[in-house]
Amino acid sequence: MDFGLVLQTDPPASEVVGLMRRAERNGFRYGWTFDSAVLWQEPFVIYSRILEHTTKLHVGPMVTNPGTRTWEVTASTFATLNDMYGNRTVCGIGRGDSAMRVAGRKPNTLARLGEAIDVIRDLAEGREALVDGNPVRIPWVGGGKLPVWMAAYGPKALALAGQKADGFILQLADPFLTEWMVKAVRQAATDAGRDPDALTICVAAPAYVGDDLGHARDQCRWFGGMVGNHVADLVAKYGEHSSMVPDELTTYIKDRHGYDYSHHGRAGNPSTDFVPDEIVERFCLLGPAEAHIEKLRHLKTLGVDQFAVYAMHDAKESTIDAYGDEIIPAINS
């Protein structure tokens, strides 16, 4: 199993670069960041520094979207980084939550997302693609490679991931929901005539290593609120108790009342007081190293290829080190 580190690009950028270097030293192979231009610093600028100061780490957004930048700009940026540092990028992409809503826009449609996946990949790998109906090719790209991994929760999005993407990003670590969603993505790939086992499965969630479970829960409760933004969209689309979406994903947001993006993805977010302890424990990895190892082994049996650690809490360094010292060796021994 591969491991990734997910950070917000808060200033100073040097701290982001430093944590990514620490992660690589501890056996992490991927470095991910949020991508929301208003809330944080521009990640693609920082990726260049991360790549310069690491040797094997692959970097990318978790996740970008088709609306913040034009598709040829996104593709050219990835292709430039790949040309400079040797195909060490991956494009995580979704409909867009904070990046779109903070700027007063709605998340992109799935139809637009599906088109963007094809166009961005083709352009970044040197092929011609239609951009707004016009044939475009980036002439200097040669030998470029850009895997595109799609984030999804709902049935239509899961189907699109299986049909189009090179990988599937699931932003929660509940084994029941992981099994349900991975099966849906792989079935969609099979139905589309693709090899379902060729898709990379990435589970991303906060991980907090320590013995004080109550403190760990409070540090990671923000994640239930972040996921809740997407769940609220699903409830609005499919209803509260739909056969299309498991209750295990949707029922916990019944007491959700709005969301303040100024605290998005941060410990102590006051908009997440509706998230119960049970959800924090189901969605995240908390407790001593042994508890992380047990849950990760379960996720591995469900076909998870990568676990990406959200480290928006007060124990970034110690959690990275605990993964390097104990958890990653135990999973990959």
Side-chain angles (χ1 to χ4, degrees):
M1 181 184 281
D2 284 331
F3 287 83
L5 177 67
V6 189
L7 299 173
Q8 294 169 337
T9 51
D10 289 313
S14 58
E15 290 189 5
V16 178
V17 176
L19 286 168
M20 291 298 186
R21 294 180 69 189
R22 189 184 197 114
E24 184 179 59
R25 291 195 301 270
N26 276 284
F28 289 71
R29 291 193 61 237
Y30 286 80
W32 303 93
T33 73
F34 281 41
D35 178 17
S36 191
V38 174
L39 296 178
W40 300 287
Q41 291 186 330
E42 173 56 38
F44 286 95
V45 176
I46 300 172
Y47 295 156
S48 189
R49 295 289 289 173
I50 295 170
L51 289 165
E52 183 181 7
H53 286 89
T54 57
T55 58
K56 296 180 180 179
L57 202 71
H58 288 65
V59 304
M62 189 174 281
V63 293
T64 192
N65 71 84
T68 301
R69 306 171 188 85
T70 59
W71 301 348
E72 71 275 16
V73 169
T74 298
S76 181
T77 305
F78 277 114
T80 301
L81 292 171
N82 283 337
D83 186 65
M84 293 172 68
Y85 298 106
N87 288 339
R88 289 167 55 200
T89 68
V90 56
C91 177
I93 194 167
R95 293 175 59 230
D97 177 34
S98 62
M100 299 298 288
R101 287 173 164 136
V102 168
R105 306 185 185 104
K106 294 181 180 179
N108 296 270
T109 65
L110 287 176
R112 181 171 173 79
L113 175 56
E115 185 180 356
I117 288 172
D118 288 337
V119 170
I120 291 169
R121 184 199 291 118
D122 283 344
L123 291 177
E125 295 185 348
R127 295 184 294 277
E128 183 179 285
L130 290 178
V131 179
D132 296 327
N134 300 306
V136 174
R137 187 178 70 84
I138 302 175
W140 52 264
V141 174
K145 187 67 178 174
L146 182 66
V148 181
W149 298 2
M150 180 181 153
Y153 292 107
K156 292 184 178 180
L158 295 169
L160 181 63
Q163 294 159 4
K164 295 274 189 179
D166 302 299
F168 165 49
I169 296 171
L170 173 57
Q171 291 161 306
L172 54 80
D174 175 71
F176 172 84
L177 293 171
T178 298
E179 182 175 17
W180 182 81
M181 293 187 188
V182 169
K183 284 182 177 178
V185 169
R186 287 191 165 147
Q187 184 60 54
T190 299
D191 293 344
R194 307 179 72 203
D195 179 1
D197 294 325
L199 272 76
T200 302
I201 306 298
C202 174
V203 163
Y208 194 109
V209 181
D211 295 324
D212 188 341
L213 187 57
H215 181 72
R217 282 195 301 257
D218 288 342
Q219 285 290 302
C220 298
R221 197 176 306 275
W222 63 266
F223 185 66
M226 187 185 83
V227 174
N229 296 329
H230 303 281
V231 174
D233 289 344
L234 294 178
V235 170
K237 185 177 183 64
Y238 296 104
E240 290 187 11
H241 298 287
S242 168
S243 60
M244 301 290 289
V245 184
D247 287 348
E248 288 84 352
L249 178 62
T250 60
T251 55
Y252 84 95
I253 70 162
K254 63 182 185 301
D255 294 324
R256 178 183 182 271
H257 302 288
Y259 188 84
D260 181 357
Y261 279 92
S262 66
H263 305 284
H264 188 57
R266 299 188 185 278
N269 184 341
S271 297
T272 62
D273 56 359
F274 70 92
V275 181
D277 289 351
E278 175 199 3
I279 288 294
V280 183
E281 293 181 26
R282 280 177 44 206
F283 285 10
C284 305
L285 275 72
L286 312 175
E290 294 78 8
H292 292 245
I293 292 167
E294 180 181 3
K295 192 167 188 177
L296 286 166
R297 283 175 173 162
H298 189 178
L299 292 170
K300 191 174 181 180
T301 67
L302 300 177
V304 175
D305 300 298
Q306 179 184 153
F307 177 64
V309 175
Y310 277 100
M312 276 62 78
H313 51 56
D314 63 3
K316 295 180 180 69
E317 292 87 352
S318 61
T319 292
I320 292 169
D321 292 346
Y323 265 70
D325 292 341
E326 300 179 71
I327 297 168
I328 294 175
I331 296 301
N332 290 332
S333 60

